[in-house]
């Protein structure tokens, strides 16, 4: 709960500083969220008050079911904050919901790291990585449309479910977290379900490295994983099925199959140089590059992993492939198409950018789970300091839009490894 409390308090402190609701009259909602989300939250307030119905409402065109709207925009548990505020206070409940979602992202990441690494990560790195996940670049950008944050706090729980299914043969957490992820937001739930398949292969690979294993065991693990996922999807069908029926009527449109391609897109070099802290209010989202920023500690831990002599080359190769996969998700068109759920995104950063940050924090967790044993010596310090140097070189080719952000970030990328090197 410490990571949840700290992340939420940081958000509220920022709100107070910038006079955002509940400390002022501003709202974080912008663009489509301001135009649509505010009215939808007011509508849901009427539903909770008994003045409207989700099964049939005249506020939707000529009348009809609002289940599809509910499952896409309003199914998050934070929407229950509407019970405590009037319709005139929707901006207050929206901002508080956004802060709580980022707090929950930190909380579930703490749970994941503790369970996945058997409580071997000490408190300070654990809090740093967890809070970094809660306040990562993706969350700060998507805070203007907080519906996209539900998948963020459900992802660590689903991937923990995959871990338990592979390593212990238990599918309970996988099924429940899958169901909840889809119920809370079917779109990000679908992204998490797709990513879980790749993460299953990653956990199987690590298990094979640790214990060996036969094809028969891989087959049984696969059957168990698929059964757990199908069970979760079936549980979610109580809400997801009516939503699908509405999508078939045209609410969600059809798949953009013409987008399938084996080519590449965007600016990979710009993505490599976009690991920067925070966002600028005038910055425009782009599909050309993405930022995985989730804290200087996360990237320092992930890089330090490659400098540990005692780690076998196959583990380092595996870690490198995970990083490559993080970039391929955004720049290889076929993966971009898959993780965009077979739709062509229009005018926004990829909705699944948090997956790359999750991978980076996982790799950092691998290092910090035994960092007292491995230490943080000169090898680790050198490889970590090479990263800000690379950022400076890339910046010469792809100039940073906001130099103060860039320089502030470089400073932290130098300071954090130096602090780690001084800890005995």
């Amino acid at each position: 709960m410490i990571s949840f409390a700290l992340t939420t308090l940081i958000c509220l402190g920022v709100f107070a500083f910038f006079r955002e609701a509940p400390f002022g009259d501003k709202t974080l909602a912008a663009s489509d969220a301001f135009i649509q989300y505010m009215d939808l939250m007011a509508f849901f307030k009427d539903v909770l008050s008994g003045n409207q119905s989700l099964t049939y409402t005249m506020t939707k065109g000529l009348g009809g079911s609002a289940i599809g709207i509910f499952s896409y925009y309003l199914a998050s548990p934070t929407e229950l904050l509407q019970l405590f505020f009037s319709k005139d206070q929707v901006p207050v409940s929206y901002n508080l919901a956004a802060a709580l979602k980022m707090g929950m992202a930190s909380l579930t990441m703490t749970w994941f790291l503790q369970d996945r690494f058997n409580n071997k990560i000490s408190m300070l790195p654990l809090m740093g990585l967890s809070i970094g996940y809660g306040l990562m670049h993706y969350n700060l950008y998507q805070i203007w449309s907080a519906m996209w944050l539900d998948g963020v706090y459900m992802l660590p729980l689903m991937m923990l479910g995959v871990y338990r299914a592979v390593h212990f043969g238990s599918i309970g957490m996988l099924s429940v977290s899958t169901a909840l992820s889809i119920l809370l937001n079917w779109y990000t739930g679908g992204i998490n379900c797709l990513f879980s398949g790749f993460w299953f292969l990653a956990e199987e690979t690590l298990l094979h490295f640790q214990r060996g294993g036969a094809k028969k065991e891989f087959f049984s693990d696969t059957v168990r994983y698929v059964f757990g996922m199908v069970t979760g999807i079936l549980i979610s069908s109580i809400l997801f099925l009516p939503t699908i029926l509405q999508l078939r009527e045209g609410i969600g449109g059809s798949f953009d199959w013409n987008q399938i391609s084996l080519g590449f897109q965007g600016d990979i070099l710009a993505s490599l140089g976009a690991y920067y802290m925070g966002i600028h209010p005038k910055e425009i989202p782009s599909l050309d590059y993405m930022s995985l920023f989730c804290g200087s500690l996360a990237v320092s831990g992930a890089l330090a992993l490659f400098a540990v002599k005692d780690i076998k080359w196959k583990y380092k190769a595996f870690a490198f492939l995970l990083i490559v996969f993080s970039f391929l998700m955004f720049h290889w068109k076929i993966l971009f198409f898959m993780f965009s759920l077979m739709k062509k995104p229009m005018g926004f950063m990829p909705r699944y950018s948090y997956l790359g940050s999750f991978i980076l924090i996982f790799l950092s967790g691998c290092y910090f789970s035994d960092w007292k044993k491995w230490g943080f010596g000169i090898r680790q310090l050198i490889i970590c300091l090479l990263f800000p140097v690379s950022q400076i070189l890339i910046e010469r080719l792809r100039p940073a839009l906001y130099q103060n952000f860039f320089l502030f970030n470089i400073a932290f990328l130098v300071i954090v490894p130096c602090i780690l090197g001084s800890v005995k």
Side-chain angles (χ1 to χ4, degrees), residues 53-57 60 63-69 242 246 251:
S53 171
L54 290 175
T55 56
Y56 191 88
T57 174
K60 183 180 158 230
S65 173
I67 292 297
I69 292 174
Q246 286 198 353
I251 293 176

Side-chain angles (χ1 to χ4, degrees), residues 240-254:
F240 188 50
L241 185 58
T243 301
I244 289 296
L245 293 176
Q246 286 198 353
L247 288 173
R248 291 185 53 157
E249 294 173 4
I251 293 176
S254 59

Side-chain angles (χ1 to χ4, degrees), residues 109-129:
M109 179 52 75
T110 300
W111 188 354
F112 171 82
L113 291 172
Q114 284 183 313
D115 201 310
R116 178 61 182 79
F117 297 105
N118 301 312
N119 295 309
K120 293 172 65 177
I121 303 178
S122 56
M123 179 60 70
L124 288 179
L126 179 66
M127 290 299 102
L129 295 177

Side-chain angles (χ1 to χ4, degrees), residues 56-276:
Y56 191 88
T57 174
M58 291 301 296
T59 62
K60 183 180 158 230
L62 296 176
S65 173
I67 292 297
I69 292 174
F70 172 78
S71 65
Y72 193 62
Y73 293 99
L74 303 169
S76 174
T78 56
E79 295 300 328
L80 295 177
L81 285 171
Q82 300 294 332
L83 291 169
F84 306 101
F85 299 96
S86 67
K87 290 174 67 174
D88 294 335
Q89 295 176 304
V90 164
V92 175
S93 60
Y94 178 89
N95 285 14
L96 291 178
L100 289 175
K101 287 181 181 184
M102 288 191 284
M104 286 190 289
S106 293
L107 177 62
T108 58
M109 179 52 75
T110 300
W111 188 354
F112 171 82
L113 291 172
Q114 284 183 313
D115 201 310
R116 178 61 182 79
F117 297 105
N118 301 312
N119 295 309
K120 293 172 65 177
I121 303 178
S122 56
M123 179 60 70
L124 288 179
L126 179 66
M127 290 299 102
L129 295 177
S130 299
I131 294 173
Y133 184 72
L135 299 175
M136 63 182 162
H137 185 273
Y138 175 88
N139 290 350
L140 296 179
Y141 230 133
Q142 299 294 358
I143 199 172
W144 65 268
S145 188
M147 57 181 281
W148 302 112
L149 300 182
D150 293 289
V152 177
Y153 64 76
M154 288 306 304
L155 179 69
L157 300 183
M158 283 188 67
M159 299 311 107
L160 184 57
V162 172
Y163 166 73
R164 290 183 179 181
V166 170
H167 290 259
F168 304 106
S170 172
I171 64 170
M173 186 168 191
L174 176 61
S175 297
V176 172
S177 59
T178 297
L180 286 174
S181 187
I182 297 172
L183 287 169
L184 298 181
N185 184 286
W186 65 262
Y187 191 94
T188 54
I191 291 172
N192 290 351
C193 286
L194 182 59
F195 182 72
S196 74
F198 290 95
W199 199 250
F200 166 76
L201 296 177
E203 290 288 6
E204 278 289 333
T205 301
L206 287 174
L207 184 63
H208 178 74
F209 286 168
Q210 295 167 6
R211 306 177 187 173
K215 293 182 179 179
K216 182 178 179 181
E217 293 175 338
F218 175 76
F219 178 77
S220 62
D221 287 348
T222 303
V223 171
R224 186 182 303 112
Y225 162 75
V226 171
F227 182 75
M229 290 296 296
V230 170
T231 301
I233 293 171
L234 289 176
I235 294 172
S236 71
S237 64
I238 188 173
L239 179 60
F240 188 50
L241 185 58
T243 301
I244 289 296
L245 293 176
Q246 286 198 353
L247 288 173
R248 291 185 53 157
E249 294 173 4
I251 293 176
S254 59
F255 294 136
D256 298 325
W257 296 113
N258 62 325
Q259 296 296 312
I260 295 179
S261 172
L262 294 177
F264 291 86
Q265 66 173 27
D267 190 337
I268 297 178
L269 189 61
S271 291
L272 289 171
Y275 196 85
Y276 57 86

Side-chain angles (χ1 to χ4, degrees), residues 4-42:
F4 170 82
L6 289 176
T7 301
T8 305
L9 287 174
I10 290 172
C11 290
L12 293 176
V14 173
F15 294 173
F17 181 81
F18 288 103
R19 304 299 298 169
E20 295 278 352
F23 306 101
D25 56 0
K26 299 179 183 178
T27 177
L28 296 168
S31 188
D32 290 344
F34 184 77
I35 297 170
Q36 300 176 1
Y37 211 167
M38 296 293 100
D39 288 339
L40 291 174
M41 292 180 71

